[in-house]
Amino acid sequence: MKRFLRILLITFSCILSLGLLIMVQPVDPVQKDPGNQPFVYPDTLVLGSHSLDSLKTIVGTNKGLPEGFEEAALLAYAAYPELKDVQVDMILTQSGAPMESNFDLFTLLGPKSKRRYKVLLNNGTDTPFDEILLRNLPFNAQVGILAHELGHVAYYHKLSTLQIAKWGLKYVGDDDFRAKHEKSTDMMVVYHGLGSQIYQYAYYVRHDSCCKALYEKFGALFIDKFYLTDKNIKEAISTHPLYQTSKTDPTEEL
């Protein structure tokens, strides 16, 4: 019995120590402008007009592509040169949120260079948010929302494992923290040259007729609460210096 109590006490002490260590980690929910984006994408991207081989050269060989959405995924990947050496997979699922970024938990126990991240894309049927699943979005909106998810990956990759644990607890338990993080992740898309595409996504989910019922149900309580509106994004684009320069397709230099 004494041995059991000793083991129980040691286990409790370890859990408590780990919890305290996690809670003292500094974690800022707001993402900052990296300030190193070399180009801005055209306002309108046309499906089938880009060289997939050129885009694959830009993004590297360690990126998974969702079947049927390869071009949109490659364009989003190409906007994040800082992720070229990071392993990321985009996976079609049959359940879950419309889109979410995650990580292979076991790889968080090793060095950052070995981490693997996942962008999960719900492609199921009979969901309550079918209108905003990737397959039902316009092409430019697809690129924009995939770039938003990659903004999360870029954020995760800057954090230590303990900081990721702290981030997860705050994200789930603090709506203000979550809103700051998600809205700044929308801004990451602007910072990375796809401002028009994230604007088109934000406009589509709020104003397209097919999304009317969904927006009436979730708009005030979720969409507008946690994400930038199309008006917010339009204003950000109009004032960001990146969009005052000439626009260049990233594949033109190859």
Side-chain angles (χ1 to χ4, degrees):
M1 186 63 177
K2 289 183 178 180
R3 182 182 179 186
F4 173 76
L5 290 175
R6 189 181 305 114
I7 293 173
L8 187 63
L9 180 60
I10 293 172
T11 301
F12 177 77
S13 298
C14 290
I15 294 173
L16 180 61
S17 298
L18 180 60
L20 291 173
L21 190 58
I22 289 172
M23 294 313 296
V24 299
Q25 296 299 311
V27 177
D28 186 350
V30 178
Q31 302 211 57
K32 306 298 192 299
D33 188 346
N36 59 354
Q37 185 60 22
F39 56 80
V40 174
Y41 286 74
D43 288 339
T44 301
L45 300 171
V46 180
L47 178 62
S49 64
H50 303 88
S51 167
L52 299 190
D53 288 339
S54 295
L55 287 168
K56 287 177 181 178
T57 300
I58 291 173
V59 307
T61 59
N62 53 2
K63 303 296 188 295
L65 301 174
E67 185 176 358
F69 306 99
E70 292 88 349
E71 188 173 348
L74 284 166
L75 287 165
Y77 278 132
Y80 286 85
E82 66 266 44
L83 295 179
K84 183 169 185 178
D85 296 323
V86 179
Q87 185 169 333
V88 186
D89 196 11
M90 292 187 181
I91 304 168
L92 297 176
T93 69
Q94 295 300 307
S95 61
M99 301 97 182
E100 63 177 296
S101 297
N102 213 321
F103 25 72
D104 187 325
L105 288 174
F106 291 107
T107 66
L108 294 180
L109 302 178
K112 282 187 179 181
S113 60
K114 300 297 184 181
R115 285 185 184 175
R116 295 195 298 271
Y117 300 96
K118 298 179 288 185
V119 177
L120 305 178
L121 307 166
N122 190 335
N123 196 42
T125 58
D126 193 29
T127 74
F129 30 70
D130 187 72
E131 297 86 353
I132 59 172
L133 297 187
L134 194 65
R135 65 171 182 264
N136 292 323
L137 298 176
F139 181 68
N140 283 270
Q142 289 179 2
V143 177
I145 192 59
L146 290 176
H148 171 97
E149 296 304 326
L150 291 176
H152 286 299
V153 174
Y155 177 83
Y156 299 151
H157 201 61
K158 294 177 182 178
L159 302 183
S160 68
T161 299
L162 291 175
Q163 287 175 319
I164 287 176
K166 170 72 172 292
W167 173 86
L169 292 172
K170 294 285 287 183
Y171 185 89
V172 172
D174 186 336
D175 281 358
D176 184 59
F177 181 97
R178 180 177 180 177
K180 288 179 179 178
H181 178 70
E182 290 292 354
K183 289 178 180 180
S184 72
T185 304
D186 278 341
M187 284 300 301
M188 281 287 280
V189 186
V190 175
Y191 301 150
H192 283 76
L194 285 166
S196 177
Q197 283 64 42
I198 194 62
Y199 167 81
Q200 291 178 63
Y201 173 81
Y203 187 91
Y204 179 82
V205 299
R206 289 171 173 84
H207 302 292
D208 192 274
S209 58
C210 75
C211 297
K212 182 178 179 180
L214 184 141
Y215 184 69
E216 287 177 350
K217 184 176 182 180
F218 296 110
L221 295 176
F222 185 79
I223 299 175
D224 291 343
K225 179 178 180 179
F226 292 112
Y227 301 91
L228 294 179
T229 67
D230 51 297
K231 292 180 180 179
N232 295 148
I233 295 170
K234 186 175 183 179
E235 181 179 356
I237 292 171
S238 69
T239 58
H240 195 284
L242 180 63
Y243 296 85
Q244 315 311 313
T245 60
S246 59
K247 298 184 177 184
T248 303
D249 188 313
T251 62
E252 287 180 358
E253 299 178 359
L254 297 177

